Amino acid sequence: MGNGTERLVVVGGDAAGMSAASQARRLKGPAELEITAFERGHFTSYSACGIPYWIGGLVDGPDELIARTPEEHRARDIDLRTRTEVVELDLAGARVRARDLESGAEYWTGYDKLVLATGARPVRPRLPGIGAHGVHGVQTLDDGQRLMADVERTAGRRAVVVGAGYIGVEMAEALLGRGFEVTVLHRGEQPMSTLDPDMGGLVHSAMNGMGIRTVARAEVTEILTDEEGRARAVVTAAGEEYPADVVVLGIGVEPRTALARAAGLPLGESGGLLTDLSMRVRGHENIWSGGDCVEVLDLVAGRTRHIALGTHANKHGQVIGSGVGGGYATFPGVVGTAVSKVCDLEIARTGLRERDALSVGLRFVTATISSTNTAGYYPEAARMTVKMLAERRTGRLLGCQIVGGAGSAKRVDIAAVALTAGMTVDQIVSLDLGYAPPFSPVWDPVLVAARKAVSAVRAAGV
């Protein structure tokens, strides 16, 4: 490399990190930019969101979930080092200390520009037995491989899922499909705390109807093990024991930012890195960060929060790679859109829940309607429930939640666009949406909910 060559170091080899490296490589060749990327696992550029469907047998894995292999990245002049973990950042010296996880050898690598894409990790409460064999978090393909091996070799067919968020309900479906008796334990009043409790109640009823035992207000206090150190039961604060041959933690994830914290980089309330609109770490000219380890601006609430989604991570990587490579791009923020499913039930949300709106000082009205995903007379029309939040006085849309059968979840995208554009529920009612009996009633359920919200706004007055 010539004396004018810049050195880019990327910490983390999944969506944000390798998207950034790839975009930077498109803009600058090896003579201008030397790229070294470190990844602690075996895999790169993969879909962690696909792991439940791999476990459930709907897709093959892990190869089917990989968008670009380490060899493909290396072929593009990216020095990608797998099974290598960065264990220290020396910001003053502009270098990182890496550890080869196979040999244990450690070494320093200097940089001119640094990208932190360390991702998130499953929340593991400090409970007796939490580290036992048979207890699994699900965040990486390496996690998925360990769980898959356990599922295939375990003779027993009892599974306990701790937590009922996106990962929890998706893993419950996957294990049910594998022939397990599935119990889901969660601390909240209803599953899916990303929804309001009334909408979460619909999910609870549907899951129980599918044969998934769903236990609310169940705080796990211990995981009992057998003489070989393997999980055999999950115990709650109420003293109930739930036998388990496999335990999956679906409690949620937290930003993996111990390196950043130790180096004194700025972190938000949830522990995620804080960046500017170009994904540059605040106060640091030559450090960028993106993906599940950062906090993003919530455009509706007007504050930062941690949202771990592959959609955001890939966009962050593109923005970072543009900045590193001398181009220009920004990531303006999110409205909090997410969709999921458990068996035949689709779940979607965007914007604020009731408690979110209250916490930022917004006054609102709500409107909830029940409809069908197609014309009611069309064969196999499925029920769906739509809930909207609208700001009092202005009628500005604040949030939307949808629970229902096939064809329900992606309707939330209408609300996501409306939120991004700052539309009122009155304006949403007038949207020219596509209609034909196989796709929608004459009045799409989202429009029906908006129309009811308009009435609620008018009734509330100022």
Side-chain angles (χ1 to χ4, degrees):
M1 299 292 176
N3 292 334
T5 304
E6 287 189 309
R7 299 166 302 170
L8 169 64
V9 166
V10 178
V11 183
D14 196 11
M18 297 319 296
S19 291
S22 298
Q23 176 67 2
R25 175 56 76 227
R26 292 185 193 101
L27 298 176
K28 286 190 174 182
E32 296 177 280
L33 184 67
E34 175 186 340
I35 304 176
T36 303
F38 297 99
E39 166 54 42
R40 62 202 298 270
H42 293 86
F43 306 98
T44 59
S45 301
Y46 56 85
S47 171
C49 302
I51 293 174
Y53 309 108
W54 167 26
I55 302 301
L58 297 176
V59 298
D60 293 329
D63 293 345
E64 289 294 315
L65 301 180
I66 297 172
R68 189 166 289 165
T69 64
E71 292 74 23
E72 288 173 315
H73 284 299
R74 292 172 187 138
R76 304 185 70 199
D77 293 304
I78 296 172
D79 180 6
L80 176 58
R81 305 176 190 181
T82 54
R83 297 295 292 148
T84 307
E85 182 177 12
V86 171
V87 294
E88 184 181 353
L89 306 178
D90 175 10
L91 303 189
R95 60 180 188 162
V96 304
R97 182 163 60 93
R99 177 184 298 143
D100 185 314
L101 296 178
E102 304 295 343
S103 68
E106 294 187 357
Y107 55 92
W108 289 95
T109 300
Y111 64 82
D112 298 298
K113 296 178 177 179
L114 175 65
V115 174
L116 298 176
T118 46
R121 62 184 175 191
V123 173
R124 276 184 176 261
R126 294 182 178 179
L127 301 175
I130 196 72
H133 295 300
V135 180
H136 299 270
V138 186
Q139 183 66 16
T140 68
L141 285 194
D142 290 277
D143 295 335
Q145 277 195 320
R146 286 187 285 270
L147 175 57
M148 187 60 139
D150 219 1
V151 165
E152 291 179 337
R153 70 170 171 251
T154 300
R157 276 296 181 259
R158 297 167 301 181
V160 172
V161 177
V162 182
Y166 296 109
I167 291 296
V169 300
E170 289 167 1
M171 288 307 307
E173 175 186 355
L175 292 165
L176 188 71
R178 285 282 179 180
F180 281 78
E181 294 179 13
V182 182
T183 300
V184 177
L185 307 176
H186 62 97
R187 295 174 60 181
E189 178 185 346
Q190 300 292 355
M192 294 300 295
S193 62
T194 53
L195 305 176
D196 286 321
D198 54 340
M199 297 295 281
L202 301 176
V203 179
H204 181 107
S205 298
M207 289 176 67
N208 283 338
M210 296 166 190
I212 299 171
R213 184 183 183 187
T214 309
V215 184
R217 294 177 290 278
E219 182 174 354
V220 173
T221 56
E222 184 179 3
I223 296 174
L224 301 179
T225 57
D226 60 20
E227 60 277 3
E228 296 178 354
R230 182 173 180 83
R232 65 174 180 83
V234 178
V235 182
T236 67
E240 297 288 337
E241 284 190 22
Y242 297 89
D245 301 295
V246 172
V247 178
V248 176
L249 303 178
I251 307 171
V253 298
E254 57 190 7
R256 191 186 293 273
T257 50
L259 277 176
R261 185 183 299 276
L265 294 175
L267 304 179
E269 288 185 11
S270 66
L273 276 154
L274 298 175
T275 71
D276 62 18
L277 293 176
S278 67
M279 305 308 298
R280 197 186 308 258
V281 174
R282 294 181 190 176
H284 294 268
E285 186 69 19
N286 293 318
I287 305 177
W288 288 258
S289 186
D292 293 353
C293 63
V294 304
E295 293 190 6
V296 294
L297 177 62
D298 184 321
L299 296 173
V300 188
R303 64 184 182 189
T304 64
R305 63 189 183 110
H306 180 242
I307 303 177
L309 284 175
T311 50
H312 303 161
N314 280 285
K315 292 172 186 174
H316 294 168
Q318 290 290 306
V319 170
I320 292 168
S322 294
V324 169
Y328 172 71
T330 60
F331 183 79
V334 303
V335 295
T337 309
V339 296
S340 185
K341 67 180 283 291
V342 52
C343 298
D344 294 330
L345 187 75
E346 298 186 0
I347 307 161
R349 55 97 64 204
T350 190
L352 307 182
R353 299 164 297 182
E354 291 189 29
R355 60 183 177 273
D356 299 326
L358 291 170
S359 71
V360 295
L362 290 168
R363 300 181 69 191
F364 58 89
V365 298
T366 67
T368 303
I369 64 97
S370 180
S371 183
T372 54
N373 62 333
T374 65
Y377 54 80
Y378 195 80
E380 299 182 0
R383 302 299 303 179
M384 61 186 293
T385 301
V386 181
K387 178 178 182 177
M388 276 192 177
L389 275 69
E391 187 177 20
R392 288 188 60 165
R393 188 173 57 81
T394 68
R396 176 171 64 105
L397 179 67
L398 297 179
C400 180
Q401 300 164 37
I402 302 174
V403 175
S408 299
K410 285 294 282 179
R411 274 183 164 88
V412 82
D413 289 342
I414 303 167
V417 172
L419 283 167
T420 305
M423 294 175 66
T424 66
V425 286
D426 210 355
Q427 290 172 321
I428 294 171
V429 172
S430 300
L431 287 175
D432 184 13
L433 303 182
Y435 161 71
F439 304 103
S440 169
V442 172
W443 279 91
D444 189 273
V446 172
L447 301 187
V448 177
R451 191 169 63 179
K452 187 172 180 180
V454 168
S455 297
V457 170
R458 290 173 180 166
V462 296

